[in-house]
Amino acid sequence: MMKKRTLISLAFCFLPLASNFSCVQKFQTFQMPRPYAVEKIAGQAKQERPKNIILMVGDGMSLATMYTAWTANQGHLNIENCQYVGLAKTTSANRLITDSAAAGTAFATGRKTDNGHVGVDADEKPQASILEIAKQHGLAAGLVVTCNILDATPAVFVAKKGDRHQWSDIASQYVAGDVDFVCGGGWSNFKNGKDGRDLTKELAGKGYQLPRTVEELEKISKGKVFALIADDNLPKPKERGEALSRAAMKAIELLSKNDQGFFMMIEGSMIDDGGHDNDLDRLMNEVHDFDRTIGKVLQWAAKDGGTLVVVTADHETGGWTLLGGDITSGKVKGKFSTDDHSGVMVPVYSFGPKAEVFTGIFENTDLFNKMLAAYGFGTK
Ligand SMILES: [Zn+2]
């Protein structure tokens, strides 16, 4: 998500008297009440190529964020079980500092595009996403997020739109699309579609089951799912509990019934909000929720042996810097430098068959190329 407070902050920075005060950020501290357990997960690829790919995106997550979350959890994170690490460059077609729409389009379709564009290149030409290509090859596909499903990162896999904020059009494109499993927020948008359309009814007409809670979702044992479990974004981690990992594991259960394999994107969507809001507590709770989900996914993938898991971010948000703390007590202390995105390469962690190709320094568009090649579909 992107907020438009940067201009206001900048305006304050240029006021002569207010400048020093408003531009110097305050220290923030965080300590977890209880660290969570992290298991060693040994991955053994049982086949040369992955049958399934699970792409996990921490929206706005940086190396500094991860290291802070690692310190706060007293020196443990599930993501450390990933066998390989690389770095992806994140510039968009028209900006040094990308937004989620352009970054998502880059790794979903292999094309750099302008900020704000969803699933289209810089000339607004629609581009096929890895999810759609996987479907064309007979695979199942899923999207599991904690934000409104119409937000940029999930939307880039399904929608084609020059403006990420045209949510009613993006909603219609989901209905016209063919994703087997969707879970996130956005019930109000689908219920109150453009021109009086009730898109929830249209989805039901297309054979989708529409559970409204994680509990209802967990009762489903087969078929297509469109779970809009919040009116808009899901609530904060303390209120939503383990919704992300529960939905992700249900998605894996259902999608893995397809003999051809599956593609799925799981997003820790609101790590970005912690950065935009300069809220360390929120940032840490969101990263830890995402990391616990990574742990569950890696455990499943290790057992499966034919699943490639790639964990990355679209960009950094908040310019977070860890400036002190202590691993034994899990206390962390640091500062934010912006309420917007910042420019930095993002880490790429990988696990499972073909994980080794996600090493080195590459463009975010190469994530698409590498995933496609890992499946054996060839590159475009
Ligand atoms: Zn953002």
Side-chain angles (χ1 to χ4, degrees):
M1 273 154 281
M2 186 170 69
K3 304 207 171 146
K4 300 246 163 82
R5 291 187 311 183
T6 314
L7 276 178
I8 300 165
S9 318
L10 277 174
F12 272 112
C13 286
F14 290 117
L15 287 174
L17 285 173
S19 64
N20 284 339
F21 176 72
S22 61
C23 291
V24 175
Q25 307 284 325
K26 285 189 192 135
F27 274 113
Q28 292 192 32
T29 58
F30 174 84
Q31 189 169 17
M32 277 177 93
R34 273 193 318 275
Y36 56 87
V38 167
E39 276 178 43
K40 267 251 158 291
I41 305 167
Q44 267 194 343
K46 290 179 188 151
Q47 52 200 67
E48 198 203 329
R49 284 190 188 287
K51 180 174 161 187
N52 316 309
I53 297 181
I54 302 175
L55 174 66
M56 302 186 69
V57 180
D59 198 305
M61 186 179 76
S62 72
L63 208 49
T65 321
M66 298 305 294
Y67 198 62
T68 308
W70 174 84
T71 309
N73 199 40
Q74 302 186 1
H76 302 284
L77 280 184
N78 287 299
I79 201 167
E80 289 182 89
N81 284 300
C82 288
Q83 300 134 328
Y84 295 92
V85 181
L87 291 169
K89 292 180 265 190
T90 59
T91 54
S92 73
N94 69 335
R95 292 278 186 277
L96 180 65
I97 314 297
T98 191
D99 73 342
S100 296
T105 300
F107 54 66
T109 75
R111 293 296 164 106
K112 291 275 185 184
T113 192
D114 291 356
N115 284 10
H117 285 5
V118 167
V120 296
D121 67 11
D123 299 323
E124 303 204 17
K125 200 167 150 240
Q127 300 295 314
S129 76
I130 177 116
L131 181 148
E132 292 162 326
I133 295 167
K135 286 289 299 185
Q136 285 161 14
H137 283 82
L139 280 68
L143 294 170
V144 177
V145 301
T146 53
C147 61
N148 190 314
I149 196 72
L150 302 176
D151 206 353
T153 311
V156 296
F157 290 90
V158 181
K160 322 285 167 205
K161 204 72 209 165
D163 177 1
R164 62 182 283 178
H165 298 110
Q166 299 289 315
W167 277 20
S168 49
D169 291 342
I170 292 173
S172 317
Q173 292 178 355
Y174 268 100
V175 178
D178 192 22
V179 190
D180 302 281
F181 188 105
V182 174
C183 182
W187 175 265
S188 299
N189 304 88
F190 283 83
K191 191 78 193 154
N192 311 302
K194 210 178 185 176
D195 305 323
R197 278 170 75 185
D198 180 348
L199 300 176
T200 64
K201 284 207 177 116
E202 295 183 26
L203 285 166
K206 286 189 75 180
Y208 280 102
Q209 301 160 87
L210 287 99
R212 296 294 321 277
T213 63
V214 178
E215 288 70 28
E216 283 174 29
L217 171 65
E218 283 181 331
K219 284 185 194 135
I220 294 173
S221 57
K222 59 176 188 226
K224 286 169 36 153
V225 172
F226 212 104
L228 297 166
I229 57 173
D231 282 342
D232 188 11
N233 296 321
L234 268 63
K236 291 178 179 178
K238 280 175 194 157
E239 293 157 63
R240 69 174 190 256
E242 303 292 314
L244 179 63
S245 62
R246 288 166 69 185
M249 296 319 290
K250 178 50 81 173
I252 288 174
E253 181 199 319
L254 298 188
L255 296 174
S256 61
K257 289 180 193 289
N258 183 329
D259 292 338
Q260 304 287 304
F262 66 84
F263 172 82
M264 173 162 59
M265 195 282 290
I266 302 170
E267 187 192 25
S269 320
M270 293 187 290
I271 295 168
D272 187 53
D273 294 54
H276 281 296
D277 294 345
N278 284 187
D279 180 345
L280 180 59
D281 190 77
R282 177 83 192 273
L283 183 65
M284 288 297 101
N285 287 329
E286 291 287 356
V287 174
H288 287 140
D289 177 57
F290 187 54
D291 182 65
R292 282 192 294 269
T293 306
I294 292 169
K296 297 221 167 91
V297 169
L298 291 182
Q299 268 166 358
W300 184 88
K303 235 183 270 168
D304 179 67
T307 300
L308 166 66
V309 182
V310 180
V311 188
T312 191
D314 45 0
H315 52 73
E316 192 279 344
T317 309
W320 169 256
T321 309
L322 179 64
L323 294 165
D326 165 27
I327 295 171
T328 315
S329 66
K331 211 180 247 178
V332 292
K333 176 183 166 184
K335 287 182 180 184
F336 291 94
S337 66
T338 175
D339 62 2
D340 209 337
H341 303 170
S342 75
V344 66
M345 286 192 269
V346 290
V348 180
Y349 308 84
S350 51
F351 181 99
K354 291 284 176 206
E356 68 278 4
V357 304
F358 294 83
T359 53
I361 299 172
F362 45 86
E363 290 290 346
N364 52 4
T365 44
D366 283 332
L367 281 162
F368 167 86
N369 297 322
K370 287 173 190 290
M371 287 190 287
L372 221 55
Y375 272 133
F377 297 162
T379 51
K380 74 172 181 181

